[in-house]
Amino acid sequence: MPTPDQAYTKLLKSLIQVLAEGKLRAQQAVERERVATYHEVGRLIDTHLLSNSSAGYGEKLFDSLGEDLGIAVNLLREGHNLYRWHPIFHA
């Protein structure tokens, strides 16, 4: 039979492992949701561009959206590129 100190050490190791695994799963879930969100952002922008295309409109659109949403223009472009390169997304 383990001593109380050994039992505590075993419990501590188990808790450390469970907490680390939970933290990793949470980080992975956040990353999956982030990618899915930007994929959807890209889809919406692409659909809008296809139905409202004119010379130079795309440049103005990204700049306006970035300013109005408070999001870096490069993130909007990356989301758009993500959708264009991977139109079917599996989360």
Side-chain angles (χ1 to χ4, degrees):
M1 178 165 238
T3 66
D5 284 345
Q6 291 170 329
Y8 177 83
T9 300
K10 183 178 177 181
L11 171 63
L12 184 61
K13 286 180 182 180
S14 294
L15 291 172
I16 289 169
Q17 180 179 352
V18 166
L19 291 168
E21 290 170 355
K23 182 178 179 182
L24 178 60
R25 285 191 309 274
Q27 290 168 337
Q28 290 169 338
V30 167
E31 183 63 17
R32 277 190 304 274
E33 188 58 34
R34 187 182 72 79
V35 171
T37 297
Y38 279 100
H39 186 270
E40 180 64 9
V41 164
R43 186 191 70 75
L44 291 168
I45 290 171
D46 196 64
T47 301
H48 181 80
L49 285 172
L50 289 174
S51 64
N52 297 285
S53 61
S54 63
Y57 180 70
E59 290 298 317
K60 294 174 192 170
L61 176 67
F62 285 101
D63 291 339
S64 295
L65 288 173
E67 186 175 324
D68 291 341
L69 293 170
I71 296 175
V73 171
N74 68 322
L75 287 176
L76 295 170
R77 289 185 195 285
E78 288 173 8
H80 184 235
N81 287 335
L82 173 64
Y83 175 76
R84 290 179 65 203
W85 284 91
H86 304 283
I88 298 172
F89 179 72
H90 303 284

